[in-house]
Short mmCIF file of all heavy atoms in Angstrom, two decimals:
data_model
loop_
_atom_site.label_atom_id
_atom_site.label_comp_id
_atom_site.label_asym_id
_atom_site.label_seq_id
_atom_site.Cartn_x
_atom_site.Cartn_y
_atom_site.Cartn_z
N PRO A 23 -20.26 20.53 15.75
CA PRO A 23 -20.61 21.87 16.24
C PRO A 23 -22.04 22.01 16.74
O PRO A 23 -22.33 22.90 17.55
CB PRO A 23 -20.36 22.76 15.01
CG PRO A 23 -20.46 21.84 13.83
CD PRO A 23 -19.91 20.54 14.32
N HIS A 24 -22.97 21.17 16.30
CA HIS A 24 -24.37 21.29 16.71
C HIS A 24 -24.76 20.33 17.83
O HIS A 24 -25.91 20.33 18.25
CB HIS A 24 -25.28 21.07 15.49
CG HIS A 24 -25.07 22.08 14.41
ND1 HIS A 24 -25.59 23.35 14.46
CD2 HIS A 24 -24.36 22.01 13.25
CE1 HIS A 24 -25.24 24.02 13.37
NE2 HIS A 24 -24.49 23.23 12.62
N ALA A 25 -23.82 19.53 18.28
CA ALA A 25 -24.12 18.57 19.35
C ALA A 25 -24.24 19.30 20.69
O ALA A 25 -23.50 20.25 20.97
CB ALA A 25 -23.05 17.50 19.42
N HIS A 70 -28.35 15.67 20.38
CA HIS A 70 -28.73 16.89 19.68
C HIS A 70 -30.23 17.08 19.91
O HIS A 70 -31.05 16.33 19.38
CB HIS A 70 -28.43 16.77 18.19
CG HIS A 70 -28.94 17.94 17.38
ND1 HIS A 70 -28.36 19.19 17.43
CD2 HIS A 70 -29.98 18.05 16.51
CE1 HIS A 70 -29.01 20.01 16.61
NE2 HIS A 70 -30.01 19.34 16.05
N GLY A 71 -30.58 18.05 20.74
CA GLY A 71 -31.98 18.22 21.11
C GLY A 71 -32.46 16.98 21.84
O GLY A 71 -31.85 16.52 22.81
N GLN A 73 -32.59 14.07 20.46
CA GLN A 73 -32.03 12.89 19.80
C GLN A 73 -30.76 12.42 20.51
O GLN A 73 -29.94 13.23 20.92
CB GLN A 73 -31.65 13.20 18.34
CG GLN A 73 -32.74 13.75 17.46
CD GLN A 73 -32.18 14.12 16.09
OE1 GLN A 73 -31.80 13.25 15.30
NE2 GLN A 73 -32.10 15.42 15.84
N PHE A 75 -27.78 9.45 19.57
CA PHE A 75 -27.41 8.52 18.50
C PHE A 75 -25.90 8.27 18.55
O PHE A 75 -25.14 9.04 19.15
CB PHE A 75 -27.81 9.06 17.13
CG PHE A 75 -27.46 10.52 16.92
CD1 PHE A 75 -26.23 10.89 16.41
CD2 PHE A 75 -28.38 11.51 17.26
CE1 PHE A 75 -25.90 12.23 16.25
CE2 PHE A 75 -28.06 12.85 17.09
CZ PHE A 75 -26.82 13.22 16.59
N ARG A 77 -22.27 7.29 16.34
CA ARG A 77 -21.62 7.46 15.05
C ARG A 77 -20.22 6.83 15.09
O ARG A 77 -19.52 6.92 16.11
CB ARG A 77 -21.47 8.95 14.70
CG ARG A 77 -22.78 9.69 14.48
CD ARG A 77 -23.36 9.39 13.11
NE ARG A 77 -24.48 10.26 12.79
CZ ARG A 77 -25.75 9.96 12.98
NH1 ARG A 77 -26.09 8.78 13.50
NH2 ARG A 77 -26.72 10.82 12.65
N THR A 216 -20.42 10.29 8.25
CA THR A 216 -20.49 11.75 8.19
C THR A 216 -21.90 12.28 7.94
O THR A 216 -22.16 13.47 8.16
CB THR A 216 -19.56 12.24 7.07
OG1 THR A 216 -19.78 11.44 5.89
CG2 THR A 216 -18.10 12.13 7.48
N TRP A 217 -22.82 11.43 7.48
CA TRP A 217 -24.17 11.89 7.13
C TRP A 217 -24.91 12.37 8.39
O TRP A 217 -25.07 11.63 9.34
CB TRP A 217 -24.94 10.76 6.46
CG TRP A 217 -26.31 11.16 5.99
CD1 TRP A 217 -27.49 10.95 6.64
CD2 TRP A 217 -26.63 11.85 4.79
NE1 TRP A 217 -28.54 11.46 5.91
CE2 TRP A 217 -28.05 12.03 4.76
CE3 TRP A 217 -25.88 12.35 3.72
CZ2 TRP A 217 -28.70 12.68 3.71
CZ3 TRP A 217 -26.53 13.00 2.68
CH2 TRP A 217 -27.92 13.15 2.68
N GLN A 218 -25.32 13.65 8.38
CA GLN A 218 -26.00 14.27 9.52
C GLN A 218 -25.28 13.89 10.82
O GLN A 218 -25.90 13.48 11.81
CB GLN A 218 -27.48 13.85 9.54
CG GLN A 218 -28.23 14.29 8.30
CD GLN A 218 -29.69 13.92 8.28
OE1 GLN A 218 -30.20 13.28 9.21
NE2 GLN A 218 -30.43 14.29 7.24
N PHE A 219 -23.97 14.09 10.80
CA PHE A 219 -23.12 13.54 11.85
C PHE A 219 -23.53 14.00 13.24
O PHE A 219 -23.60 13.19 14.18
CB PHE A 219 -21.65 13.91 11.61
CG PHE A 219 -20.73 13.38 12.67
CD1 PHE A 219 -20.40 12.04 12.70
CD2 PHE A 219 -20.24 14.21 13.67
CE1 PHE A 219 -19.57 11.52 13.70
CE2 PHE A 219 -19.40 13.70 14.67
CZ PHE A 219 -19.07 12.36 14.68
N ASP A 220 -23.78 15.29 13.42
CA ASP A 220 -24.12 15.78 14.76
C ASP A 220 -25.61 16.05 14.93
O ASP A 220 -26.03 16.71 15.87
CB ASP A 220 -23.30 17.02 15.11
CG ASP A 220 -23.57 18.21 14.20
OD1 ASP A 220 -24.44 18.09 13.31
OD2 ASP A 220 -22.91 19.26 14.37
N GLY A 221 -26.42 15.53 13.99
CA GLY A 221 -27.87 15.66 14.10
C GLY A 221 -28.46 16.83 13.34
O GLY A 221 -29.68 16.91 13.18
N TRP A 222 -27.61 17.73 12.86
CA TRP A 222 -28.12 18.92 12.17
C TRP A 222 -28.09 18.72 10.65
O TRP A 222 -27.19 18.06 10.10
CB TRP A 222 -27.27 20.14 12.50
CG TRP A 222 -27.63 21.34 11.65
CD1 TRP A 222 -28.61 22.25 11.90
CD2 TRP A 222 -27.03 21.71 10.40
NE1 TRP A 222 -28.67 23.17 10.88
CE2 TRP A 222 -27.71 22.87 9.94
CE3 TRP A 222 -26.02 21.18 9.61
CZ2 TRP A 222 -27.39 23.51 8.76
CZ3 TRP A 222 -25.69 21.81 8.43
CH2 TRP A 222 -26.36 22.96 8.00
N SER A 223 -29.09 19.28 9.97
CA SER A 223 -29.07 19.45 8.51
C SER A 223 -30.12 20.48 8.16
O SER A 223 -31.05 20.74 8.95
CB SER A 223 -29.34 18.13 7.78
OG SER A 223 -30.65 17.67 8.04
N GLU A 224 -30.00 21.07 6.99
CA GLU A 224 -30.98 22.07 6.56
C GLU A 224 -32.36 21.45 6.37
O GLU A 224 -33.37 22.10 6.57
CB GLU A 224 -30.52 22.72 5.25
CG GLU A 224 -29.38 23.72 5.43
CD GLU A 224 -29.83 25.04 6.04
OE1 GLU A 224 -31.04 25.21 6.26
OE2 GLU A 224 -28.96 25.89 6.32
N SER A 225 -32.38 20.18 5.96
CA SER A 225 -33.64 19.46 5.80
C SER A 225 -33.36 17.98 5.99
O SER A 225 -32.20 17.55 6.00
CB SER A 225 -34.27 19.73 4.44
OG SER A 225 -33.40 19.32 3.40
N ASP A 226 -34.42 17.19 6.12
CA ASP A 226 -34.24 15.77 6.42
C ASP A 226 -33.44 15.02 5.34
O ASP A 226 -32.80 14.03 5.62
CB ASP A 226 -35.60 15.09 6.59
CG ASP A 226 -36.30 15.54 7.86
OD1 ASP A 226 -35.62 16.10 8.75
OD2 ASP A 226 -37.53 15.33 7.97
N ASP A 227 -33.49 15.51 4.10
CA ASP A 227 -32.83 14.78 3.01
C ASP A 227 -31.46 15.35 2.65
O ASP A 227 -30.88 14.99 1.64
CB ASP A 227 -33.72 14.78 1.75
CG ASP A 227 -34.01 16.18 1.23
OD1 ASP A 227 -33.75 17.17 1.96
OD2 ASP A 227 -34.49 16.29 0.09
N LYS A 228 -30.93 16.25 3.49
CA LYS A 228 -29.60 16.78 3.27
C LYS A 228 -28.64 16.26 4.33
O LYS A 228 -29.05 15.81 5.40
CB LYS A 228 -29.61 18.31 3.25
CG LYS A 228 -30.40 18.90 2.09
CD LYS A 228 -29.80 18.50 0.73
CE LYS A 228 -30.58 19.08 -0.42
NZ LYS A 228 -30.02 18.68 -1.75
N GLY A 229 -27.34 16.35 4.03
CA GLY A 229 -26.36 15.58 4.79
C GLY A 229 -25.76 16.22 6.01
O GLY A 229 -24.98 15.59 6.72
N GLY A 230 -26.05 17.51 6.27
CA GLY A 230 -25.52 18.12 7.47
C GLY A 230 -24.14 18.73 7.28
O GLY A 230 -23.78 19.19 6.20
N ILE A 231 -23.34 18.72 8.34
CA ILE A 231 -22.15 19.58 8.42
C ILE A 231 -21.07 19.26 7.39
O ILE A 231 -20.31 20.14 7.01
CB ILE A 231 -21.54 19.55 9.84
CG1 ILE A 231 -21.17 18.11 10.25
CG2 ILE A 231 -22.50 20.17 10.84
CD1 ILE A 231 -20.42 18.04 11.58
N TYR A 232 -20.96 18.04 6.94
CA TYR A 232 -19.89 17.68 6.00
C TYR A 232 -20.28 17.95 4.55
O TYR A 232 -19.42 17.86 3.66
CB TYR A 232 -19.51 16.21 6.16
CG TYR A 232 -18.57 15.95 7.31
CD1 TYR A 232 -19.07 15.64 8.58
CD2 TYR A 232 -17.20 16.02 7.16
CE1 TYR A 232 -18.22 15.40 9.64
CE2 TYR A 232 -16.34 15.80 8.22
CZ TYR A 232 -16.85 15.48 9.47
OH TYR A 232 -15.99 15.25 10.52
N PHE A 233 -21.54 18.28 4.30
CA PHE A 233 -22.03 18.33 2.92
C PHE A 233 -22.71 19.67 2.62
O PHE A 233 -23.16 20.37 3.53
CB PHE A 233 -23.05 17.20 2.69
CG PHE A 233 -22.48 15.84 2.99
CD1 PHE A 233 -22.68 15.26 4.25
CD2 PHE A 233 -21.74 15.15 2.05
CE1 PHE A 233 -22.15 14.01 4.55
CE2 PHE A 233 -21.20 13.91 2.34
CZ PHE A 233 -21.41 13.33 3.58
N TYR A 234 -22.79 19.99 1.34
CA TYR A 234 -23.64 21.10 0.94
C TYR A 234 -25.08 20.75 1.31
O TYR A 234 -25.51 19.60 1.20
CB TYR A 234 -23.55 21.35 -0.56
CG TYR A 234 -22.26 22.01 -1.00
CD1 TYR A 234 -21.34 21.34 -1.79
CD2 TYR A 234 -21.98 23.32 -0.62
CE1 TYR A 234 -20.16 21.95 -2.20
CE2 TYR A 234 -20.80 23.95 -1.02
CZ TYR A 234 -19.90 23.26 -1.81
OH TYR A 234 -18.74 23.87 -2.20
N ASN A 235 -25.81 21.76 1.70
CA ASN A 235 -27.20 21.55 2.09
C ASN A 235 -28.14 22.30 1.15
O ASN A 235 -29.23 22.73 1.55
CB ASN A 235 -27.41 21.98 3.54
CG ASN A 235 -26.87 20.96 4.53
OD1 ASN A 235 -27.62 20.18 5.10
ND2 ASN A 235 -25.55 20.96 4.73
N ASP A 236 -27.69 22.44 -0.10
CA ASP A 236 -28.54 23.04 -1.13
C ASP A 236 -28.33 22.24 -2.41
O ASP A 236 -27.87 21.08 -2.36
CB ASP A 236 -28.21 24.53 -1.31
CG ASP A 236 -26.73 24.78 -1.59
OD1 ASP A 236 -26.04 23.86 -2.10
OD2 ASP A 236 -26.24 25.89 -1.30
N SER A 239 -25.26 19.90 -3.45
CA SER A 239 -24.98 18.58 -2.87
C SER A 239 -25.16 17.46 -3.89
O SER A 239 -24.60 16.37 -3.74
CB SER A 239 -25.90 18.31 -1.67
OG SER A 239 -27.26 18.26 -2.09
N ASP A 245 -26.41 12.31 -3.31
CA ASP A 245 -26.62 13.69 -2.84
C ASP A 245 -25.60 14.02 -1.75
O ASP A 245 -25.96 14.47 -0.66
CB ASP A 245 -28.06 13.82 -2.31
CG ASP A 245 -28.55 15.25 -2.33
OD1 ASP A 245 -27.99 16.07 -3.07
OD2 ASP A 245 -29.51 15.54 -1.60
N ASP A 249 -18.98 19.90 1.41
CA ASP A 249 -19.05 21.36 1.43
C ASP A 249 -17.63 21.92 1.49
O ASP A 249 -17.07 22.11 2.56
CB ASP A 249 -19.86 21.83 2.64
CG ASP A 249 -20.06 23.34 2.66
OD1 ASP A 249 -19.40 24.04 1.86
OD2 ASP A 249 -20.86 23.82 3.48
N ARG A 252 -16.48 24.97 3.77
CA ARG A 252 -16.23 24.88 5.22
C ARG A 252 -14.76 24.51 5.46
O ARG A 252 -14.27 23.52 4.93
CB ARG A 252 -17.11 23.82 5.87
CG ARG A 252 -18.56 24.20 6.06
CD ARG A 252 -19.29 23.06 6.74
NE ARG A 252 -20.68 23.32 6.99
CZ ARG A 252 -21.18 23.72 8.17
NH1 ARG A 252 -20.37 23.89 9.19
NH2 ARG A 252 -22.46 23.93 8.31
#
Side-chain angles (χ1 to χ4, degrees):
H24 298 281
H70 174 72
Q73 304 175 70
F75 45 89
R77 295 282 190 264
T216 46
W217 184 262
Q218 299 181 359
F219 180 75
D220 63 2
W222 171 86
S223 65
E224 285 285 356
S225 60
D226 290 343
D227 61 347
K228 295 298 180 180
I231 58 174
Y232 279 90
F233 304 95
Y234 286 114
N235 283 259
D236 54 25
S239 64
D245 203 20
D249 184 349
R252 285 181 179 261

